[in-house]
Amino acid sequence: MTELLKIISGVISDYRLHLTGSKIKEFESEDPLSKKLLEQNLCLVNGKRAIFLSLPLVLLSVIFAVITVVQMDPDSLIGSVLSLIGFLLIALGCSALAVLIYHLCKYNKSNTIKLQQFTLLFWTVFSAGSLLLIAADLSLNGFSQRFYLYLIIMTVFPLIDIKKSLLIIVPFLAVTELLGIIFGASVLVLVLALAFSLAYLMISSLVYSSYCCLYIGERMLNTANERCRQINEIDGLTGALNKKGLIKRLMDIINLGVNKNIAAIFFDIDDFRRYNHIYTDKESDDCLHNICNCVRIIAKSKTDIISRYGGDEFVIIIQNITEYDLIFFAEQIRKSVETMALPFENDKKVTISVGVSAIVEEDLKDYSSLLRDAENGLVLAKSGGKNCVGYMGNVFKAK
């Protein structure tokens, strides 16, 4: 019995959180951007559902309007006229609004406010048409089964919060109860109408809040996955891509089939092993970090990818650059690191050797050849005396 009471208490507590929106606010406080994205998503979902729901509504309204005209009886003229007006309102109003919503969804997805207004107007028109049908049934001393059908449709369709649900259902319920009293509906009928309306509000609020929580939870999961991916592909020391991230970006470029010239600059720090023996690990890390920042500042407007390939080796990938600009850019990087004048032993300064790959023009099929050529240029620079640029069998160093 105690366990049952705990379960019931838990259900009531969850429902209270859903009804007040506390659960949604809890997620929004952790990820404020989710609120805006959620509104846009709900607008698009409701807009698309309104478009598709309008098709059967319009068809049924036309069919029932024709049947009403054919079976129109002078003794039930008021009911027939009300039914006819209700069917036509649903058919014409819903179809016109569905067209507007369709154009707004297709051509201007960012106009969230207008889409919300049109969707709410769609349900207002549908509610007005349904009220006329209910009035027609009550005028014939019978309570409309369409009232329950309307509530069922409203429960499974609209993803709107409790306040907007109240804006639609309270006037609808009030008019229905008033019509019931005017046309002499029994107390049982009036109580059932009230009970079904309250059930609709409870269910619709749960559907709305559950959808919101699922959407925001999914977004937070995607954000967490993206952070994990970044951690997996970004070097923790320098903030540049690591080798795995570099290869993935290169594969993306290849798979996209870009028609641009692609070049690689491969560089490392001269005598960095000796540097590690002389200085502490922190000083070695600071050296790598400073050099990467220096290169990032120079390269930020000219390159797509900066990567720490491993140890003290770095790779820069550049797209759409001429041969002359490529060599000038590589020399600019070398000179900038030299100008930083990071201290080394015997009054020496930290320098880098740079290797440049041949530009691949529109026929890049494999990233390995691009990196291999750049690494060969680095080897050439090392054998040419270090602190220089190696490219296509030549060594470059500005005086």
Side-chain angles (χ1 to χ4, degrees):
M1 187 66 180
T2 306
E3 291 298 323
L4 180 61
L5 290 175
K6 284 183 179 179
I7 293 172
I8 295 172
S9 175
V11 170
I12 294 172
S13 176
D14 286 343
Y15 178 70
R16 180 181 58 80
L17 289 173
H18 282 300
L19 192 63
T20 58
S22 300
K23 199 70 177 175
I24 302 169
K25 291 175 184 176
E26 178 186 330
F27 282 114
E28 289 174 354
S29 63
E30 295 181 20
D31 186 7
L33 181 61
S34 292
K35 183 176 181 180
K36 184 66 177 176
L37 294 175
L38 177 62
E39 287 179 358
Q40 292 177 351
N41 182 266
L42 286 172
C43 282
L44 287 174
V45 169
N46 273 331
K48 290 175 181 177
R49 289 187 179 185
I51 293 167
F52 286 108
L53 191 65
S54 67
L55 297 175
L57 286 177
V58 170
L59 288 175
L60 288 173
S61 296
V62 171
I63 293 170
F64 282 120
V66 172
I67 294 173
T68 301
V69 172
V70 171
Q71 296 181 345
M72 192 172 285
D73 188 349
D75 296 332
S76 59
L77 187 60
I78 295 176
S80 299
V81 171
L82 289 174
S83 295
L84 184 60
I85 296 173
F87 287 132
L88 291 176
L89 184 60
I90 292 173
L92 296 176
C94 289
S95 58
L97 286 168
V99 171
L100 291 174
I101 292 170
Y102 172 77
H103 282 283
L104 201 60
C105 285
K106 186 174 181 181
Y107 300 111
N108 192 2
K109 294 182 180 180
S110 62
N111 198 334
T112 306
I113 297 176
K114 189 172 285 188
L115 192 54
Q116 280 180 329
Q117 291 172 346
F118 278 144
T119 306
L120 198 60
L121 187 59
F122 177 92
W123 281 108
T124 303
V125 171
F126 177 55
S127 301
S130 299
L131 278 174
L132 290 171
L133 298 178
I134 292 170
D137 287 339
L138 289 171
S139 68
L140 301 174
N141 296 321
F143 189 69
S144 175
Q145 301 298 323
R146 301 186 189 93
F147 177 76
Y148 305 117
L149 178 62
Y150 169 83
L151 291 178
I152 291 170
I153 294 173
M154 284 291 290
T155 301
V156 298
F157 170 75
L159 290 173
I160 50 180
D161 58 30
I162 188 70
K163 293 179 181 178
K164 290 179 182 175
S165 297
L166 285 169
L167 284 175
I168 293 177
I169 199 65
V170 169
F172 183 84
L173 175 63
V175 175
T176 302
E177 295 281 345
L178 181 63
L179 289 172
I181 294 171
I182 292 172
F183 290 110
S186 65
V187 176
L188 179 61
V189 167
L190 299 177
V191 171
L192 283 175
L194 180 62
F196 273 91
S197 298
L198 291 175
Y200 156 73
L201 288 173
M202 292 174 64
I203 295 171
S204 63
S205 67
L206 282 172
V207 170
Y208 169 79
S209 56
S210 298
Y211 182 91
C212 294
C213 290
L214 285 172
Y215 176 83
I216 296 174
E218 183 182 4
R219 170 171 160 71
M220 293 175 69
L221 178 61
N222 291 337
T223 302
N225 289 335
E226 178 63 20
R227 287 173 182 164
C228 290
R229 184 196 66 78
Q230 290 179 356
I231 291 171
N232 199 28
E233 295 180 2
I234 292 178
D235 178 58
L237 175 62
T238 62
L241 290 173
N242 58 22
K243 185 176 180 179
K244 182 178 179 180
L246 168 68
I247 292 172
K248 184 178 182 302
R249 290 287 297 273
L250 275 173
M251 291 303 297
D252 290 341
I253 292 172
I254 294 169
N255 293 333
L256 286 172
V258 292
N259 294 320
K260 294 180 180 180
N261 300 332
I262 302 174
I265 294 176
F266 206 121
F267 71 89
D268 71 0
I269 302 172
D270 295 327
D271 301 316
F272 193 64
R273 184 174 296 178
R274 175 69 181 162
Y275 190 96
N276 281 327
H277 287 308
I278 297 173
Y279 296 96
T280 63
D281 290 343
K282 183 181 184 306
E283 289 172 321
S284 297
D285 289 346
D286 288 343
C287 178
L288 289 170
H289 183 74
N290 291 332
I291 289 175
C292 187
N293 279 345
C294 174
V295 173
R296 186 182 286 114
I297 291 169
I298 298 169
K300 69 177 181 179
S301 62
K302 298 182 180 180
T303 184
D304 295 323
I305 302 173
I306 301 175
S307 166
R308 184 184 178 191
Y309 199 68
D312 64 319
E313 296 177 330
F314 292 84
V315 174
I316 303 174
I317 302 298
I318 309 172
Q319 297 185 60
N320 199 26
I321 188 170
T322 64
E323 187 175 40
Y324 175 81
D325 289 338
L326 174 61
I327 299 197
F328 179 81
F329 178 53
E331 173 58 22
Q332 188 181 13
I333 290 173
R334 184 204 65 78
K335 186 66 176 175
S336 296
V337 174
E338 185 180 31
T339 306
M340 286 176 68
L342 296 174
F344 206 170
E345 65 175 341
N346 300 327
D347 296 328
K348 289 169 54 178
K349 304 300 179 185
V350 174
T351 60
I352 62 172
S353 295
V354 184
V356 182
S357 69
I359 296 174
V360 181
E361 298 182 357
E362 301 182 10
D363 60 348
L364 180 62
K365 303 297 181 185
D366 183 14
Y367 64 85
S368 59
S369 61
L370 187 70
L371 299 180
R372 185 175 59 249
D373 290 343
E375 194 168 8
N376 290 338
L378 174 60
V379 173
L380 179 66
K382 291 289 188 184
S383 63
K386 302 177 183 177
N387 191 23
C388 58
V389 176
Y391 173 65
M392 296 287 286
N394 298 302
V395 174
F396 302 89
K397 184 177 180 180
K399 294 183 181 179

